[in-house]
Amino acid sequence: MSLVLSEDQQLLKDSAKAFVDQNAPVSVLRGLRDSKDAQGYDQNLWRQMLELGWAGMAIPEAYGGFEFGYGGLGVVLEESGRTLVSSPLIATVLLGASAINELGSDAQKSEFLPQVVSGELLLALAIDEKPHHRPCRIETSAVKSGEGYVLNGCKTFVLDGHIANKLVVVARTAGAIDDRAGLSVFLVDAAAEGVSINRSWMVDSRNSAMLSLNNVKVGADALLGAEGDAYTSLTRVLDIGRIGIAAEMLGSMQQAFEITLDYLKQREQFGVLIGSFQGLQHRAAEMYSEIELCKSAVRAALAALDDADKNDADIAEFASIAKAKLSEVATLVSNEAVQMHGGIGMTDEYDIGFYMKRARVAAAFLGDALFHRERYASLNGF
Amino acid sequence: MSLVLSEDQQLLKDSAKAFVDQNAPVSVLRGLRDSKDAQGYDQNLWRQMLELGWAGMAIPEAYGGFEFGYGGLGVVLEESGRTLVSSPLIATVLLGASAINELGSDAQKSEFLPQVVSGELLLALAIDEKPHHRPCRIETSAVKSGEGYVLNGCKTFVLDGHIANKLVVVARTAGAIDDRAGLSVFLVDAAAEGVSINRSWMVDSRNSAMLSLNNVKVGADALLGAEGDAYTSLTRVLDIGRIGIAAEMLGSMQQAFEITLDYLKQREQFGVLIGSFQGLQHRAAEMYSEIELCKSAVRAALAALDDADKNDADIAEFASIAKAKLSEVATLVSNEAVQMHGGIGMTDEYDIGFYMKRARVAAAFLGDALFHRERYASLNGF
Amino acid sequence: MQAIAHLEDFRQETRAWLEANCPASMRTPMVDAEVVWGGRNPTFVNPESKLWLERMAEKGWTTPTWPAEYGGGGLSKDESMVLAQEMSRINARPPLNSFGISMLGPVLLESGTHEQKSEHIPKIVRGEIRWCQGYSEPGSGSDLASLNTKAVLDGDDYVINGSKVWTSYADKADWIFCLVRTDSDVPKHAGISFILFDMDTPGVTTKPIQLISGMSPFCETFFDDARAKAANLVGGLNNGWAIAKRLLQHERTMISGFGLAGSQGDRGGTTSTMDSVERAAMHYRGDTDKISDPGLRDEIAKFKIDSAAFALTSQRSTEESKQGQGPNATSSMLKNYGCELNKRRYELLLSSLGSQALGWEGEGFASDEIAVTREWLRSKANSIEGGTSEVQLNVIAKRVLGLPDMLSLVQK
Amino acid sequence: MQAIAHLEDFRQETRAWLEANCPASMRTPMVDAEVVWGGRNPTFVNPESKLWLERMAEKGWTTPTWPAEYGGGGLSKDESMVLAQEMSRINARPPLNSFGISMLGPVLLESGTHEQKSEHIPKIVRGEIRWCQGYSEPGSGSDLASLNTKAVLDGDDYVINGSKVWTSYADKADWIFCLVRTDSDVPKHAGISFILFDMDTPGVTTKPIQLISGMSPFCETFFDDARAKAANLVGGLNNGWAIAKRLLQHERTMISGFGLAGSQGDRGGTTSTMDSVERAAMHYRGDTDKISDPGLRDEIAKFKIDSAAFALTSQRSTEESKQGQGPNATSSMLKNYGCELNKRRYELLLSSLGSQALGWEGEGFASDEIAVTREWLRSKANSIEGGTSEVQLNVIAKRVLGLPDMLSLVQK
């Protein structure tokens, strides 16, 4: 398992960077926010990303993808993180498609994955029910009824819920709240009767929805995987999501750091460049070191996803290392970035604040640093 | 409740400082260590301290003391902390005498407290049984036998145990391990049959002992307070001890900081005084701020002990604030002091290492920062 | 004894006057919307606010200790304390919020000419003119004295060109007290003057600044050949830096109060869940006896202990300065630590609320949740405004700890 | 293909030779007491150590890639890798520990004259002369180049006066490689030379340094009119700084390995409770399923995660430097982070062991508990020796991040 990008991955990274720099600067996100865009993402930009094959990056060739691995998807996420691109890449590709790929039957994969690659299908993962991510704290119920199921419950923090065609809903077919057993995953049509979706305007100018399911009837074919037995595969899906988000955070924190470094080299105070103050230098050097560690944690976690020798327990550990570390350092770097910019960093006109806002949402998504440190300790038996 | 020293307290502090500077520099402790002194404290120095009335500072006049309050004892401890004085002040006066004063009958107080003031009686508190302070984790048993009791068990980290004439032993007369109910406190003669005391050489060059009690018989008059009901008063004794140790730590950390500050103003590197480097300046300024907070926490806790309006719950909170904060900052300051001194700070020849060693023992004694943060949270219902 | 008797008389008179003159609604807790800022076009959401201001201003009690000669209350320190106690007794609202009172007035009384005081002080007392402060400039930051706004004498006027930033309520103010460069050929601190002029002066424009937390009272202010009467230069030509420093002391003391909120578990009389970080943490996790996330619990305990020790330090500092004991160079320390505590408080609130603290607007989030998010963002400026943390730490290192200044070796 | 065949032959020969020549006890894990340092009066606790050293030295395999001309093994890089693999296969101990091999030799081969190499290298290879390093001085600290030990030419000798500090094993070494000032009238870096001399020279005395952790291999070394042959000046007069820097690179790389211990949960084959912070925390609290102190548990998790990420970073750095990809200025970062991790590790061990980590000697404490206490104290030097953390952070700021150097504005 190498921690250095392969030549192909490096080429992909360079081209993704060039594409993002040219087509998706932070001003795109700002525009979506200021215009209160109905979709919350730039559809033209997304079409270009589809043409570049980004939606099929980690999807097997058998289902219309390009089988470039999570390493490939990771560098795309990293580069899109640099300019805070808001797109269906996370909700649909990273989370939704992975759920279908990990849990679905061959028929389900054959039906839906090509639609993700082509952009016809937008997905959203509905799991959290409380303000804190606790993957087994599922009260949403799915009760067998005839051939199908009836779903009831509420979901929160459903990323891109308002634009999804289909929702990947985690529900309980058995067991008590917090039980690992009894979890099932359903693919629910967003337009189905009883589904109500309320878009939330988030601090990072992205979108997540509150979802309520009121006697929603689905067929047996809506079930992804075996009934009541989703825990293991679902955990892998979440770990894929955590690693992908960590990759995105890596891009954002590198960019925020570089912007700040540039500022330290330009801004004069008291007759000298502020970057010559040792107090700031040491803080910058410490950030640099932490970012290097983050880079390694992300590269290793992505490589592990593509490594057939790594089992679920390995992946879990890599995912929690990456998500815990990145969440912590993203907070540090974005706070320091604003502080080192001084007053100008506090203005909405300047981009750096966007990085701080995104860092906090990404840090909380799929488990914050506290959650993943706790999980890491449990995984390691202490 | 004032946080500023009274005129009397300030006078006492100034005279204690002058005394300590002149008679008890760090070289006294070094000498005790290098000569492997049998007592572990300078008896001549202790006699002078007795003459200054330090042993009776907080003891009521009725029992031969000077009723100067814990505020008075606190400034003496603070100043003795400045030069790391090793004396019976903590084990005998702060802990032992307080235990007799809080738990004992009038007869017991009348008998023993004057002996503390005069220096005839040396005491030691034997409570901990495991490497971590947990005041209710008491397995040492005291079983009623005729008029008296029979004690069995082992104690660790018994400060000054090897020189004590009498041991204040916390034992269980009822209840299970960790119960608050069933704790009793006994005054046990160090020379009694079945008592075995093993002196330990500690990293701070002070002394604590391992104590084992093997069928030790004591009379009914050895019981301090009511049988099985010591918890509340014992907690107050421990809180007095924690606050007193915090006062001592305050003195040590101030001194370590001042030594370091002097060094920053004298030492040249790369053609400038190292104190002109902003990296070190900011760290020094942060230490200064933390030490100011420590000073307030200690002053308030000592004032609370002397304030009749404060109840046990108030004292508990002040004690945990002080011990948690001081333990944390003492660690920070002593680590930074060594680091800022560079190589010379690592040598035994230079005094600063003694401060680091003492800081760690004091931080662990009667509960470390983690213990007291946990206790603070519980006291505040969260 | 006579003095005490006099004070007792004064207390009775004051109490009677307040009883008779303080309108009923002015004895209820202040609400943001009803704060009175005065000015040429004042807003009185509550008509009793107007009455209350007029009555207080007539007695000069909007500025109780200012000289009666200029419309102030002319009270002694003791009398003004009695007035404050009596107002507090009936929960009387302050009649007027004003940078003229809190910032400009004191230095004008100290350094202004008789003519300047006669012209400006009475209007401040009566709330007739609303003032703003022209200090920072886009390029100046922590290095305030590097300001570039130029004032050139032309007949009886100074002609002013340049721009200011972070001017609170510049778009609502009538006059500005402003630092300008009147000499560029001397060391930077020696060429600055302090001047007053009307915001209606041709050539003055303002533009509000949006912060990362949303709208703000801050503005950018531009001067394009704006003319100010030379007679309104305060404290003498090129003597502005001394006056500026006096003013900054006021501002810093004001800001260090931030950190106290955390320890008091209370922000101005409201009782929201958000007032207590630990309650919020439990509420949003559905915990009853203790915070179920042990890492967060420990961090909150650490925060609460630091807040308690900080509150005790503020108290001790006040006691010490009353007794004239110890150095009172603690203001930089208190400012810096207080701001850092406030920032920690909001970081912990954010962790406590989870995704409910990540909303911006619209449905799905309660107003106090949105407020936490916005205030978290706003709190990041605490360690920037009124002197950055870095500047405060420099001040502690140099003035309190006596460490040598490398910058002075660099600067010629 | 021929090369590979050759290597395979070499492997077979080497394997056979090792089989025949490596004594049985030399195939067991090294113990501290049996480490061989060589020198004029060598200590061989285990007689097989002597045999092993002699056999290996005869083939030049104590220094496999050094030129055979000077007694080295003369192996190619590939051959030496095969030798290392074969030695590792049978757990063969290194025959010789030597600053001559790890530090002096490489620069002497690079910069020494033929005479110097002929004289010194063979003795290093055979472990006949034990070397020490004379770099730091009592006043120099991080500013190594400010050294004051003077060497003045007198006939064929330099006469040396001054003192060195932190000279490891100076009291046991036969010769010293030493930085001396040979010109005081030029900028400090330009007046330094690198010279070798015998520690038996009259005027040379040493004094061991006791550390806060107890006895140490460090010494102070004093030179009082000590005479060194001018012929032993390496790399030319006043060219010592360049050589010193080459040597420091070796030292730094060596030290950055410290931080890896934490992530591996293993220090050199032993399996004490202390090897794993989390096991120690549980053991000393009597916990079975998880650490009962939640604050400590979270801190340990944070430490383990950082250690894991650090280990991955070391691995990535190695991979990248193999590929020549990316800047390899990471050595300062790795050194600094690794040292801080090691310090954190010991702080956590201290918290984990409670009062059992507070002993100094005598009864009541197990030897591995005392070792934790001593190593905790010793670990404080990690961020001082081989360049302080402050120096490493400066290097990162300037060389990696390209931030401007204020000091260069101060220094003329």
Side-chain angles (χ1 to χ4, degrees), chain B residues 15-300:
Chain B
S15 79
K17 181 172 172 53
F19 173 78
V20 164
D21 279 352
Q22 205 177 350
N23 299 285
V26 179
S27 57
V28 172
L29 178 66
R30 183 188 290 277
L32 292 167
R33 178 194 72 174
D34 292 345
S35 67
K36 297 215 165 198
D37 187 90
Q39 304 299 318
Y41 70 100
D42 186 307
Q43 289 176 280
N44 184 39
L45 189 65
W46 176 234
R47 256 191 302 277
Q48 290 174 276
M49 289 159 79
L50 289 170
E51 278 162 29
L52 290 169
W54 289 6
M57 201 59 70
I59 293 177
E61 283 183 9
Y63 306 114
F66 308 106
E67 211 163 298
F68 211 76
Y70 288 103
L73 182 56
V75 297
V76 165
L77 285 164
E78 180 180 340
E79 292 308 321
S80 74
R82 282 196 172 259
T83 61
L84 305 175
V85 176
S86 171
S87 82
L89 207 52
I90 291 170
T92 296
V93 180
L94 178 67
L95 294 167
S98 297
I100 293 171
N101 193 41
E102 295 292 331
L103 285 145
S105 64
D106 195 55
Q108 288 167 323
K109 293 194 227 182
S110 299
E111 181 177 358
F112 299 117
L113 292 180
Q115 295 178 20
V116 168
V117 178
S118 68
E120 288 161 73
L121 179 62
L122 293 181
L123 299 164
L125 176 69
I127 176 166
D128 291 340
E129 301 181 355
K130 290 280 153 56
H132 295 275
H133 179 66
R134 295 285 178 273
C136 294
R137 191 154 298 174
I138 301 297
E139 287 186 282
T140 295
S141 64
V143 176
K144 195 103 193 181
S145 161
E147 291 295 287
Y149 299 85
V150 178
L151 276 65
N152 277 289
C154 288
K155 296 287 181 179
T156 184
F157 209 12
V158 182
L159 188 67
D160 283 359
H162 69 301
I163 51 164
N165 314 113
K166 288 191 181 292
L167 301 155
V168 178
V169 176
V170 181
R172 187 168 285 292
T173 42
I177 190 168
D178 287 333
D179 283 357
R180 289 181 175 190
L183 295 180
S184 304
V185 178
F186 296 89
L187 203 56
V188 179
D189 207 292
E193 213 186 312
V195 172
S196 119
I197 299 170
N198 264 302
R199 176 183 182 178
S200 301
W201 304 85
M202 304 296 281
V203 71
D204 64 347
S205 303
R206 297 200 192 174
N207 307 281
S208 78
M210 309 272 177
L211 167 68
S212 94
L213 302 161
N214 189 14
N215 287 324
V216 177
K217 293 186 181 58
V218 297
D221 59 344
L223 183 67
L224 286 174
E227 185 189 305
D229 199 26
Y231 179 75
T232 304
S233 298
L234 177 63
T235 301
R236 191 177 171 93
V237 172
L238 294 173
D239 280 333
I240 291 169
R242 289 155 180 158
I243 293 169
I245 291 288
E248 192 207 15
M249 292 170 97
L250 176 63
S252 305
M253 73 168 67
Q254 288 179 91
Q255 188 70 16
F257 182 63
E258 284 164 24
I259 292 170
T260 306
L261 214 47
D262 284 347
Y263 190 75
L264 295 181
K265 292 176 187 173
Q266 287 165 14
R267 169 74 164 169
E268 277 197 23
Q269 292 268 270
F270 306 107
V272 297
L273 290 172
I274 61 173
S276 66
F277 286 109
Q278 201 194 38
L280 297 184
Q281 288 187 340
H282 283 188
R283 283 153 58 188
E286 275 159 6
M287 278 194 274
Y288 161 79
S289 307
E290 294 291 357
I291 292 171
E292 285 296 308
L293 263 67
C294 284
K295 208 183 280 179
S296 314
V298 168
R299 295 262 191 281

Side-chain angles (χ1 to χ4, degrees), chain A residues 24-207:
Chain A
V26 179
S27 56
V28 173
L29 178 66
R30 184 188 289 279
L32 293 167
R33 180 195 70 174
D34 292 345
S35 68
K36 296 214 165 199
D37 187 90
Q39 304 299 317
Y41 70 100
D42 186 308
Q43 289 176 280
N44 183 38
L45 189 66
W46 176 234
R47 257 191 303 276
Q48 290 174 275
M49 289 159 77
L50 288 169
E51 278 162 29
L52 290 168
W54 289 6
M57 203 59 71
I59 293 176
E61 284 183 8
Y63 306 114
F66 309 105
E67 211 162 301
F68 210 77
Y70 288 103
L73 182 55
V75 297
V76 165
L77 284 164
E78 180 180 338
E79 293 308 321
S80 75
R82 282 195 173 263
T83 61
L84 306 175
V85 176
S86 171
S87 82
L89 206 52
I90 291 169
T92 296
V93 180
L94 178 67
L95 293 167
S98 297
I100 293 170
N101 193 40
E102 295 292 331
L103 285 145
S105 66
D106 196 55
Q108 287 167 324
K109 294 194 230 182
S110 299
E111 180 177 0
F112 298 116
L113 292 179
Q115 295 179 19
V116 168
V117 178
S118 68
E120 288 160 74
L121 180 62
L122 294 181
L123 298 163
L125 176 68
I127 177 165
D128 292 339
E129 301 181 356
K130 290 278 152 57
H132 295 275
H133 178 66
R134 295 284 178 277
C136 294
R137 191 154 298 174
I138 301 296
E139 287 185 284
T140 295
S141 64
V143 177
K144 196 107 195 180
S145 160
E147 292 294 289
Y149 299 83
V150 177
L151 276 64
N152 277 290
C154 287
K155 295 286 182 182
T156 183
F157 209 10
V158 182
L159 189 66
D160 284 359
H162 70 301
I163 51 165
N165 313 114
K166 288 191 183 289
L167 301 154
V168 178
V169 176
V170 182
R172 187 169 284 293
T173 43
I177 189 165
D178 288 334
D179 281 357
R180 289 182 176 191
L183 294 181
S184 304
V185 178
F186 296 90
L187 204 56
V188 178
D189 207 290
E193 211 186 314
V195 171
S196 118
I197 298 171
N198 263 304
R199 175 183 184 180
S200 300
W201 303 86
M202 302 297 279
V203 71
D204 64 348
S205 304
R206 296 201 191 173
N207 308 281

